[in-house]
Amino acid sequence: MSEATSLNDQGMLAWHEAPVFDHEYGNKNKCYYEVDKKNGIARLLFGDDISDREAEECRQPESEAQAIALASPMDKKVEFGGYVARKSDLLGALVLACYTGSLDTNNSTVSENERVRRYSALLDLYGDDRNSAARVTKAFEFASVNLRDRFPLDTMGRYRVAVCDQMAISGKF
């Protein structure tokens, strides 16, 4: 876990754990909070359908305190390249695991370490669900053996994604 620093009352450097926003509260279309309950921190986000009056109300300290008190745990998620896989969306995680496995060994944009980190993050989504974790592994390994280093990425990986989509939809993983 990464840590952050700040100056304490005496002007000395102090170490703090970085916030972990693992709880949520509010309406994602209006005003929404991501909450770190352990440290009592809320991050305010606004949706597309919010008025100026509602935004001002959300900025009030009482609203933030209410969000911290009433926030519920978030559905675990992993984000890569604009795609989000959530624990509640196994199909999406399978497709993302497959595509991650298909990345070439000489890919200059995604190193081997990053590829493995992404795979590990997807596995962590299902740490308590052995069957789903096994399916994620199967998708990753299928692509590593059958798609990796075989098809050029000049189509921005469209062929690989299409194969991964069809394999996941047809229940092959």
Side-chain angles (χ1 to χ4, degrees), residues 102-114:
S102 78
L103 295 172
D104 290 336
T105 54
N106 63 353
N107 190 327
S108 60
T109 57
V110 180
S111 69
E112 179 64 19
N113 288 341
E114 177 63 13

Side-chain angles (χ1 to χ4, degrees), residues 6-158:
S6 66
L7 294 176
N8 63 16
D9 314 0
Q10 293 86 26
M12 299 178 69
L13 200 56
W15 292 92
H16 303 282
E17 286 186 25
V20 176
F21 296 101
D22 56 355
H23 286 70
E24 60 190 351
Y25 178 80
N27 179 342
K28 291 183 182 180
N29 294 321
K30 302 279 183 184
C31 112
Y32 176 78
Y33 295 89
E34 291 179 340
V35 177
D36 175 350
K37 281 209 171 221
K38 181 179 176 186
N39 294 308
I41 300 170
R43 176 172 43 198
L44 176 60
L45 304 166
F46 295 108
D48 294 334
D49 298 332
I50 190 165
S51 68
D52 291 339
R53 184 188 59 75
E54 291 168 325
E56 270 311 306
E57 191 175 305
C58 292
R59 288 187 183 98
Q60 298 300 315
E62 302 83 30
S63 297
E64 183 177 325
Q66 182 179 15
I68 292 169
L70 300 177
S72 58
M74 277 187 195
D75 187 21
K76 289 173 82 175
K77 68 180 177 181
V78 173
E79 298 180 56
F80 307 131
Y83 186 81
V84 179
R86 296 188 179 279
K87 183 174 182 175
S88 60
D89 178 21
L90 179 59
L91 187 62
L94 293 174
V95 171
L96 191 54
C98 180
Y99 186 68
T100 299
S102 78
L103 295 172
D104 290 336
T105 54
N106 63 353
N107 190 327
S108 60
T109 57
V110 180
S111 69
E112 179 64 19
N113 288 341
E114 177 63 13
R115 181 177 170 268
V116 170
R117 186 195 69 75
R118 290 177 179 194
Y119 167 62
S120 296
L122 288 165
L123 274 181
D124 286 347
L125 279 177
Y126 301 99
D128 58 342
D129 181 351
R130 297 181 82 204
N131 289 337
S132 295
R135 291 179 69 189
V136 167
T137 297
K138 187 174 182 181
F140 181 82
E141 289 175 351
F142 164 82
S144 291
V145 171
N146 297 298
L147 300 175
R148 188 172 185 200
D149 294 326
R150 296 205 179 177
F151 303 99
L153 281 175
D154 58 357
T155 60
M156 297 177 55
R158 287 188 192 111

Side-chain angles (χ1 to χ4, degrees), residues 91 165-173:
L91 187 62
D165 282 346
Q166 289 306 309
M167 293 291 289
I169 289 169
S170 65
K172 302 288 186 195
F173 303 133

